[in-house]
Amino acid sequence: MRDPYEVLGVARGADQAEIKKAFRRLAKKLHPDANKGDPKAAARFAELNSAYEILGEEDKRKAFDRGEIDAEGKPRFQGFQGFQGYGRGASAQPGFDSSTVFETFNFGPGGFRRTTRGAAPGGGGAFEDVLSSLFGSFGAQQGHAPFEEFETGPVRGPDAAAAISITLAEAAKGTKKRVLLPTGKNVEVSVPAGISDGKQIRLRGQGFAQAHGAPGDAIITIRVEKHPDLTPDGNDLRAEVSIPLDDAVLGGAVRVPTLDGAVELKIPPRTSGGRTFRLKGKGLPRKGGGHGDLLATVRIELPDTPDADLEAVAKKLRQRRSGAS
């Protein structure tokens, strides 16, 4: 990995505010969601995260500047100069005294960990004895606890975005769909009943991987396809049905489409165009239980070709209305 200062584009003397500002600026620019056509975007974003994981945390940054960890945050072995056989009965060599401090850097499930331990003021005892002696001497003299640990949680990897299309019936009843993620994984998505267009489902840990951290999530956007006859209106569904003029005048029946198949709706005599009938429980699922309704609006359909009898009736109705006025 490149030098984290180079990755973030900041000088070694930059303060934490400059580093944070540089990270935010580059994160917006390099995020995979903003570079969907670039197959290398995820790798660049992961490199940026790793660089900020080091420079964004003061203790890790100091450790890197001192050469104690590398650009990936891994510890560099430096040895203990002047320290030879510091066992029972041995004395400290030049360059090793009571002020010497040992620092270790470890990576584990919890992320980066730095541990600082002071050395004993005199000889005698194994290394564990030297550490235990700090409780009564070194720690008390220095005015702080003998063991200091600095931890940061793991940095998550970038999220992976994808979308799936489902029918209106599948949205109402729930379904399972397989989707190929940008990470290359092919996963099954459980779509809950009653989901609406544009809603998102989060799959934990199915996003892009992150060095020394947890993977991101997969964000699945649901697209509900348009139904040829039904239109969602909240939890209700709307439909238009056409009836001939004679059914509008004398009454009749019409087939109404629903998500469970067509049902028959009785049309009472003297039904005007635009009248709406409510079919209870034929809509979409409600959050608190039950279903919305289906609202069927009547449209009166006239013949496409001239009809002499119909025209004669219409003329009589017009004359009657004119005479009444």
Side-chain angles (χ1 to χ4, degrees):
M1 178 178 162
R2 291 185 295 156
D3 186 302
Y5 287 101
E6 180 184 344
V7 174
L8 287 168
V10 296
R12 288 188 173 270
D15 58 25
Q16 291 302 114
E18 291 179 81
I19 290 174
K20 187 175 184 179
K21 183 178 180 181
F23 172 73
R24 287 182 173 178
R25 175 176 55 81
L26 290 173
K28 291 180 180 179
K29 179 181 178 182
L30 301 179
H31 196 282
D33 288 348
N35 299 271
K36 292 184 178 179
D38 187 351
K40 296 182 180 180
R44 287 199 299 268
F45 190 74
E47 183 183 48
L48 178 66
N49 274 336
S50 296
Y52 186 65
E53 184 182 355
I54 292 175
L55 300 188
E57 202 279 316
E58 188 175 354
D59 291 293
K60 260 193 264 190
R61 181 184 178 185
K62 289 179 180 178
F64 175 77
D65 291 343
R66 290 194 298 265
E68 295 165 346
I69 58 175
D70 60 18
E72 295 183 1
K74 296 178 181 178
R76 286 192 177 117
F77 179 74
Q78 309 222 347
F80 302 111
Q81 296 182 355
F83 178 60
Q84 301 176 359
Y86 194 73
R88 192 173 302 276
S91 60
Q93 300 297 318
F96 181 84
D97 55 29
S98 61
S99 64
T100 301
V101 175
F102 296 96
E103 294 178 308
T104 58
F105 299 84
N106 301 299
F107 283 91
F112 178 87
R113 178 187 294 256
R114 173 190 176 203
T115 305
T116 304
R117 297 181 176 89
F127 188 65
E128 291 79 4
D129 297 330
V130 174
L131 295 179
S132 64
S133 69
L134 295 174
F135 285 97
S137 57
F138 181 77
Q141 294 171 10
Q142 300 299 323
H144 56 73
F147 297 96
E148 296 178 317
E149 293 187 352
F150 304 89
E151 295 187 24
T152 60
V155 177
R156 288 178 61 253
D159 292 336
I164 55 176
S165 295
I166 60 174
T167 65
L168 184 60
E170 289 173 330
K173 299 176 182 179
T175 185
K176 291 184 177 181
K177 292 282 186 178
R178 297 202 71 84
V179 60
L180 179 62
L181 300 175
T183 60
K185 295 180 181 178
N186 191 301
V187 298
E188 185 176 77
V189 181
S190 294
V191 181
I195 197 166
S196 56
D197 183 64
K199 292 293 186 181
Q200 293 183 324
I201 297 174
R202 180 180 294 270
L203 303 180
R204 300 286 181 184
Q206 295 297 327
F208 291 98
Q210 169 67 41
H212 312 306
D217 300 334
I219 309 298
I220 312 299
T221 301
I222 303 300
R223 299 299 182 199
V224 180
E225 300 170 354
K226 288 186 177 181
H227 193 280
D229 302 308
L230 302 173
T231 303
D233 183 5
N235 294 117
D236 296 331
L237 291 173
R238 290 189 175 274
E240 280 192 352
V241 291
S242 298
I243 60 172
L245 180 60
D246 55 309
D247 281 354
V249 175
L250 304 175
V254 64
R255 300 284 288 176
V256 179
T258 75
L259 293 176
D260 299 315
V263 297
E264 189 174 86
L265 172 66
K266 289 185 177 181
I267 302 295
R270 297 177 300 281
T271 293
S272 301
R275 182 175 177 179
T276 298
F277 295 88
R278 184 180 296 271
L279 282 69
K280 293 282 189 180
K282 292 297 183 179
L284 299 172
R286 300 183 186 275
K287 287 185 178 180
H291 288 71
D293 303 328
L294 192 153
L295 306 175
T297 301
V298 169
R299 182 166 59 88
I300 298 175
E301 190 175 60
L302 296 177
D304 293 332
T305 58
D307 188 318
D309 293 336
L310 179 60
E311 291 176 2
V313 171
K315 288 178 181 178
K316 287 182 180 180
L317 290 174
R318 181 178 290 178
Q319 289 173 356
R320 184 183 302 173
R321 189 170 62 250
S322 298
S325 60

